[in-house]
Amino acid sequence: MAPTTTPDPFAVADVIVTGREFREFAAFVHRQTGIALNEAKRPLVCARLRKRLRHYGYARLQQYYDHLIERDPEGEELVRMVNALTTNKTEFFREAHHFALLRTEILARRTAGPGPRRLRVWSAGCSSGEEAYSIAFTVLESLPGVIDWDVRVLASDIDTDVLARAERGVYLAERAAGVPTALRERYFLRGRGANEGLVRVRPEAARLVTFRRINLRDEAWPIRAAFDAIFCRNVLIYFDRALQQEVIRRLVEHLQPGGYLFLGHSESLLGMGMGLRPVGKTVYKNAPRGERP
Ligand SMILES: C[S@@+](CC[C@H](N)C(=O)[O-])C[C@H]1O[C@@H](n2cnc3c(N)ncnc32)[C@H](O)[C@@H]1O
């Protein structure tokens, strides 16, 4: 009969770790990143960190952990460890209904309204940039006279590898296949010769986006702006409930009155009492000025 519990010590992908060692390591990862790793994630963690351990010639996760604690004063290996552990799945116009709402509810109203010609959007946990560029394309499409607007999209992530890719703005052409044809033609340059099969985000879209490493787990975020919309999608699922609540509370503090918070398809504010009103599937609106409790 197949064993029902994980053997201890456990070896996957050549990485050896006991249950106790794994729990200690998981607690460290949680303190650093907010990412909650339960016992079921043990094989995944070992597989993802295998290369890092190999780099140092370590066979046991404990040796790598000791290295992080005792021999990584600048935190360089910590950054690599975080980069290896994060899950970065994303795509252009993922959850397309959110971009439809951005267009019809937020941008259309802003265009019609008397407010300042200034727009701030944050893609928090942007991975390799597809979400932030999808926002930029939507803004360019939907704001008439966008040239006269002061538009900034902040795109942040904890993972420096995906951020570097995001900033480059170069993708396999097949990754852009989900972008509506007209937008694909307008906002991507197609690679030729050695770059055949690649596309690059055009400068008019790329210049709207600023990339920064921001760890949502950190006590203080280096952000002063109040945003018209914050996309924090498919990030909070990696945190435990207490941290989800804490991060959402702080995201809301960075929303304009009447601003919008977009969460991922399996995330919700249900039972969190944040005072935001649901306006679509996993989209919430902050109370407008004068209506706040
Ligand atoms: C699954 S991707 C989601 C990407 C995009 N938001 C989307 O929905 O397509 C989750 C991203 O959250 C980032 N992440 C995880 N923990 C984080 C933290 N503490 N601070 C900032 N970003 C974090 C990961 O690096 C990863 O790129």
Side-chain angles (χ1 to χ4, degrees):
M1 216 164 50
T4 51
T5 53
T6 315
D8 208 28
F10 177 86
V12 67
D14 304 332
V15 175
I16 301 166
V17 57
T18 66
R20 190 192 54 74
E21 288 166 356
F22 181 75
R23 282 191 293 280
E24 199 183 344
F25 183 74
F28 173 72
V29 171
H30 185 257
R31 282 195 301 281
Q32 297 294 331
T33 68
I35 297 172
L37 298 169
N38 59 24
E39 177 58 36
K41 294 275 164 63
R42 195 158 30 142
L44 180 80
V45 169
C46 291
R48 289 188 173 174
L49 292 180
R50 177 185 188 210
K51 266 197 191 162
R52 298 311 312 150
L53 269 76
R54 264 206 184 160
H55 177 80
Y56 293 105
Y58 300 146
R60 304 190 68 102
L61 188 67
Q62 186 65 37
Q63 292 170 289
Y64 184 61
Y65 178 48
D66 292 343
H67 181 110
L68 288 165
I69 301 294
E70 293 161 11
R71 292 189 287 286
D72 185 36
E74 305 296 325
E76 288 168 10
E77 186 54 39
L78 178 64
V79 168
R80 288 192 200 103
M81 184 272 279
V82 171
N83 290 358
L85 276 187
T86 52
T87 299
N88 308 116
K89 182 181 169 343
T90 188
E91 60 191 54
F92 286 102
F93 290 97
R94 183 179 192 183
E95 297 170 57
H97 58 98
H98 283 168
F99 299 91
L101 193 142
L102 172 64
R103 197 177 63 243
T104 56
E105 176 95 11
I106 307 179
L107 300 173
R109 282 182 192 209
R110 288 299 303 278
T111 312
R117 293 177 164 253
R118 186 174 188 276
L119 186 79
R120 294 289 181 268
V121 184
W122 183 11
S123 165
C126 65
S127 187
S128 36
E130 288 86 336
E131 180 175 273
Y133 290 127
S134 302
I135 294 167
F137 302 158
T138 307
V139 170
L140 287 170
E141 284 296 292
S142 318
L143 276 188
V146 65
I147 196 90
D148 299 326
W149 281 70
D150 170 13
V151 178
R152 297 250 45 97
V153 179
L154 170 65
S156 70
D157 203 282
I158 194 174
D159 180 335
T160 55
D161 288 341
V162 286
L163 274 177
R165 275 169 31 211
E167 197 151 16
R168 220 174 300 131
V170 174
Y171 299 91
L172 288 174
E174 66 218 39
R175 291 206 49 88
V179 178
T181 314
L183 300 196
R184 207 164 59 230
E185 300 288 315
R186 268 203 284 285
Y187 299 116
F188 286 104
L189 292 161
R190 246 179 295 171
R192 303 256 176 266
N195 293 324
E196 192 75 47
L198 299 176
V199 292
R200 178 190 282 279
V201 176
R202 282 184 184 267
E204 57 265 43
R207 70 161 181 259
L208 299 186
V209 189
T210 308
F211 295 95
R212 283 182 93 162
R213 183 178 194 252
I214 297 176
N215 181 354
L216 294 172
R217 174 77 162 118
D218 284 349
E219 299 281 308
W221 300 332
I223 294 176
R224 280 201 308 274
F227 295 92
D228 299 282
I230 299 177
F231 286 63
C232 186
R233 307 185 310 159
N234 309 299
V235 181
L236 300 173
I237 33 165
Y238 301 102
F239 301 167
D240 57 34
R241 177 117 180 131
L243 185 62
Q244 288 178 354
Q245 201 147 354
E246 170 65 13
V247 169
I248 289 175
R249 188 186 60 70
R250 291 168 59 208
L251 288 174
V252 174
E253 282 175 9
H254 283 280
L255 267 186
Q256 292 272 16
Y260 294 75
L261 176 65
F262 293 76
L263 299 181
H265 57 93
S266 62
E267 297 157 339
S268 120
L269 292 190
L270 205 67
M272 289 194 183
M274 295 286 167
L276 274 71
R277 184 165 61 84
V279 289
K281 202 166 155 236
T282 59
V283 188
Y284 301 86
K285 185 171 184 184
N286 199 12
R289 207 180 296 281
E291 284 181 29
R292 307 181 102 186

